[in-house]
């Protein structure tokens, strides 16, 4: 496999969760590997301005809310007046990001992956310019990720901190009085939750008639009820057409999604979170004759090969959910494929998690998708549900919100999907993904011994509800 004619066996473009994992695995497999990354630190959007910093703010703001809104007092922990030290919270966030990005640099050194600092541009399929160097590689993996989708009429200016995208919303140096979030998807709800907990009034404007597109219908409905209960204002079926900034205020023009009379809404901070788009500009794809699909993505086969020989692609630039763990798994698989092994990603079992409080998670088909696949025949699927209110651990912790639902094939009992809202749903969903990966039936889950008392028992009980009856209901 190794060829002396090329500088490297593998050049990965981009050091996000897809790219850095691909590079490390390729090096572990004995391939001479380099990874091009223009950012000052490794880890891509996820580690620098995405998954990791947002989780630091979610964790800190949850602690603040527990202290300030009586949860700690309820459990006998008395505090004096609770104050927010935002610079301290931001400092903790920055420390976590630094430790993790430094960790990737350490892993690159340990595995002998060369980090080529700079923007990569294809000269031909095996030749790539990175800053003032030109390197050749037998295999090139495009792992350039995605960036925030702009909204016409609403210009993001993160430095000013008034109209921001997710990067700006992670770095605010004050708690807004009124934050308007445009887009009721994952980013809008996670970052909207952070600033609501820290004291902002938050209004979410969503184009569709429900939050969280792509998730199970029942989950989307219950999520909206819970966010409203927490004090978020939700404006569904509504679009923003314009934003005008005057002094410290932004005036937004809102219209019903279906058209109609417009109205205005004032905010001192607007977060634009209407989705992300693949990063393919400036890569020189023309030079290698690689065309994009109508959604701006690079199409690949199961081995992540593009139409251009020697060039593969993974992560947010190819179709599928734009999730770090999907990219990571593709990173491992693409390296194994390049090394002549069989690298596979089961795209039917990719969990998704919204890290709000409670957390929202799912894997596999939604009830709507399962029904559609069965040709609309209601008897073809069975659904078991169990409310967190009846789970002893959730009840003891005073976390009564949410439920688990298990969707199974009525004929074979094979689990088709699992959806849940629960304080620790992001952790609970792993067992559902593992069960589905092993082709489990609902009965398999129902007869698996679950430790008591744990939130996970709700998964067992929901599985019991598919064929028979749960015990605690
Ligand atoms: P998203 O696709 O999750 O949600 C965007 C929302 O904006 C949708 O509900 C859409 O209907 C709405 N929208 C679109 N245009 C609009 C308009 N003009 N006015 C009002 N609403 C509009 O995208 P989001 O939240 O920006 O996240 C981007 C990506 O990052 C997603 O693919 C997501 O999966 C990923 N991500 C994942 C996280 C996680 O796994 N916990 C956390 C953050 C992001």
């Amino acid at each position: 496999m190794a060829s002396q004619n090329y500088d490297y066996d593998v050049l990965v473009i981009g050091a996000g969760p897809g790219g850095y994992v691909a590079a490390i695995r390729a090096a572990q497999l004995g391939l001479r590997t380099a990874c091009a990354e223009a950012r000052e630190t490794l880890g891509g959007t996820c580690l620098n301005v995405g998954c990791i910093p947002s989780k630091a703010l979610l964790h800190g703001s949850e602690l603040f809310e527990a202290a300030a809104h009586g949860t700690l007092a309820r459990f006998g922990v008395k505090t004096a007046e609770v104050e927010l030290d935002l610079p301290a919270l931001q400092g903790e966030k920055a420390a976590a990001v630094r430790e993790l990005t430094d960790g990737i640099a350490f892993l690159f050194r340990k595995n002998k992956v060369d980090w080529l600092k700079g923007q990569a541009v294809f000269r031909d399929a095996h030749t790539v310019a990175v800053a003032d160097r030109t390197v050749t590689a037998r295999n090139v993996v495009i792992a350039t990720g995605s960036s925030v989708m702009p909204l016409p009429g609403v210009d993001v200016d993160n430095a000013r901190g008034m109209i921001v995208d997710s990067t700006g919303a992670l770095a605010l140096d004050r708690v807004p009085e009124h934050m308007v979030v445009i887009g009721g998807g994952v980013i809008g709800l996670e970052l909207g939750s952070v600033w609501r907990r820290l004291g902002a009034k938050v209004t979410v404007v969503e184009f569709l008639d429900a939050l969280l597109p792509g998730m199970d219908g029942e989950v989307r409905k219950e999520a909206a009820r819970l966010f409203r209960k927490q004090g978020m204002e939700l404006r569904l079926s509504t679009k923003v057409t314009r934003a005008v900034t005057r002094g410290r205020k932004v005036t937004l023009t809102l219209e019903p999604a279906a058209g109609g009379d417009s109205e205005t809404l004032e905010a001192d901070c607007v977060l634009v979170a209407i989705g992300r788009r693949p990063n393919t500009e400036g890569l020189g794809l023309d030079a290698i004759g690689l065309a994009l699909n109508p959604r701006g993505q690079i199409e690949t086969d199961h081995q992540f090969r593009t139409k251009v020989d020697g060039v593969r692609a993974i992560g947010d630039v190819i179709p599928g959910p734009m999730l770090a763990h999907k990219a990571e798994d593709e990173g491992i698989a693409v390296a194994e494929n390049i090394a002549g092994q069989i690298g596979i990603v089961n795209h039917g079992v990719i969990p998704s998690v919204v890290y709000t409080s409670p957390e929202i998670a799912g894997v596999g088909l939604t009830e709507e998708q399962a029904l559609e696949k069965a040709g609309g025949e209601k008897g073809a699927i069975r659904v078991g549900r169990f409310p967190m209110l009846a789970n002893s651990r959730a009840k003891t912790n005073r976390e009564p919100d949410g439920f688990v639902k298990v969707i199974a094939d009525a004929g074979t009992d094979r689990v088709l999907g699992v959806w849940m809202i629960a304080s620790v749903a992001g952790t609970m969903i792993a067992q559902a993904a593992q069960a589905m990966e092993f082709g489990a039936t609902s009965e398999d889950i129902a007869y698996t011994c679950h430790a008591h008392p744990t939130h996970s028992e709700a998964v067992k009980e929901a599985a019991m509800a598919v064929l028979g009856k749960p015990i605690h209901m």
Side-chain angles (χ1 to χ4, degrees):
M1 185 76 195
S3 162
Q4 299 314 313
N5 300 332
Y6 294 103
D7 298 328
Y8 294 101
D9 295 317
V10 183
L11 168 65
V12 182
I13 304 178
Y20 86 69
V21 167
I24 291 174
R25 177 57 113 224
Q28 286 173 341
L29 292 168
L31 301 169
R32 290 171 301 143
T33 306
C35 183
E37 171 59 56
R39 209 186 277 271
E40 285 302 310
T41 46
L42 300 170
T45 299
C46 175
L47 270 72
N48 287 284
V49 287
C51 328
I52 296 303
S54 64
K55 260 77 267 174
L57 295 188
L58 279 158
H59 182 64
S61 62
E62 203 171 336
L63 294 176
F64 175 76
E65 193 173 44
H69 293 236
T71 309
L72 289 188
R74 188 175 184 183
F75 281 89
V77 183
K78 284 197 172 177
T79 50
E81 201 186 328
V82 177
E83 253 183 86
L84 175 67
D85 181 349
L86 188 54
L89 173 56
Q90 292 288 19
E92 207 53 31
K93 175 201 81 176
V97 168
R98 198 170 46 247
E99 284 163 28
L100 286 161
T101 54
D102 284 355
I104 310 299
F106 163 78
L107 290 173
F108 269 19
R109 286 192 299 274
K110 181 179 162 196
N111 289 286
K112 301 193 170 43
V113 173
D114 287 347
W115 173 6
L116 311 178
K117 290 189 189 177
Q119 196 80 29
V121 187
F122 278 102
R123 295 286 180 246
D124 64 46
H126 298 280
T127 312
V128 176
V130 186
D132 51 6
R133 280 182 73 177
T134 299
V135 296
T136 58
R138 177 177 284 279
N139 298 279
V140 181
V141 179
I142 303 172
T144 44
S146 60
S147 43
V148 172
M149 184 108 70
L151 177 59
V154 186
D155 298 327
V156 166
D157 183 350
N158 284 332
R160 214 166 153 204
M162 295 187 64
I163 302 181
V164 295
D165 58 21
S166 50
T167 303
L170 288 168
L172 297 180
D173 57 7
R174 74 203 146 88
V175 178
E177 261 170 56
H178 184 201
M179 171 181 258
V180 174
V181 177
I182 308 178
V186 194
I187 292 180
L189 294 170
E190 287 186 0
L191 292 177
S193 291
V194 164
W195 295 106
R196 182 199 59 71
R197 291 171 191 167
L198 298 180
K201 172 181 161 51
V202 173
T203 305
V204 177
V205 181
E206 165 59 47
F207 185 80
L208 300 174
D209 62 1
L211 302 172
L212 296 169
M215 292 208 144
D216 182 86
E218 238 175 303
V219 162
R220 296 173 72 184
K221 217 165 141 192
E222 181 63 4
R225 194 185 71 78
L226 293 175
F227 288 123
R228 283 195 165 116
K229 196 173 91 176
Q230 293 173 3
M232 263 191 196
E233 190 166 328
L234 304 183
R235 303 287 309 269
L236 304 178
S237 306
T238 305
K239 62 183 172 189
V240 173
T241 53
R242 211 156 78 101
V244 178
T245 307
R246 263 190 223 99
R248 295 304 301 169
K249 287 265 174 266
V250 186
T251 305
L252 295 170
T253 306
L254 269 52
E255 271 178 32
D261 293 342
S262 65
E263 58 177 307
T264 58
L265 188 61
E266 282 215 333
D268 58 338
C269 185
V270 174
L271 164 58
V272 181
I274 60 162
R276 299 178 63 85
R277 59 179 184 188
N279 286 336
T280 52
E281 253 176 54
L283 253 181
L285 295 184
D286 287 351
I288 58 170
L290 185 55
L292 303 175
N293 73 12
R295 301 189 60 199
Q297 299 159 322
I298 299 172
E299 294 281 348
T300 68
D301 66 9
H302 282 337
Q303 295 200 14
F304 307 101
R305 285 183 295 223
T306 67
K307 293 220 162 58
V308 177
D309 216 25
V311 179
R312 304 190 192 222
I314 56 166
D316 287 7
V317 283
I318 72 170
M322 289 177 158
L323 296 172
H325 43 278
K326 176 246 190 198
E328 284 183 51
D329 286 8
E330 290 177 348
I332 291 176
V334 77
E336 292 177 349
N337 287 323
I338 288 171
Q341 301 182 351
I342 299 171
I344 294 174
V345 177
N346 178 2
H347 285 102
V349 183
I350 308 265
S352 55
V353 180
V354 188
Y355 296 89
T356 47
S357 181
E359 294 178 341
I360 303 165
V363 62
L365 300 181
T366 65
E367 187 173 343
E368 295 76 22
Q369 289 166 337
L371 258 182
E372 198 188 319
K373 264 199 149 172
E377 197 194 316
K378 280 218 161 109
I381 61 166
R382 282 175 193 266
V383 182
R385 295 181 181 78
F386 191 80
M388 294 313 293
L389 189 63
N391 170 274
S392 60
R393 185 65 181 279
K395 211 174 169 65
T396 309
N397 286 5
R398 299 293 185 248
E399 297 162 339
D401 292 328
F403 60 88
V404 177
K405 71 188 270 191
V406 173
I407 304 155
D409 183 294
T412 63
D413 190 35
R414 203 171 162 148
V415 176
L416 304 172
V418 179
W419 292 86
M420 56 181 81
I421 301 183
S423 57
V424 289
T427 304
M428 290 159 67
I429 202 66
Q431 78 156 102
Q434 194 164 43
M436 287 181 66
E437 191 66 44
F438 289 176
T441 60
S442 78
E443 196 181 37
D444 290 328
I445 299 177
Y447 283 92
T448 299
C449 187
H450 285 60
H452 176 74
T454 56
H455 296 82
S456 296
E457 287 174 287
V459 181
K460 176 189 169 104
E461 297 254 21
M464 287 170 100
V466 172
L467 290 178
K469 276 185 97 34
I471 296 295
H472 295 95
M473 247 177 78

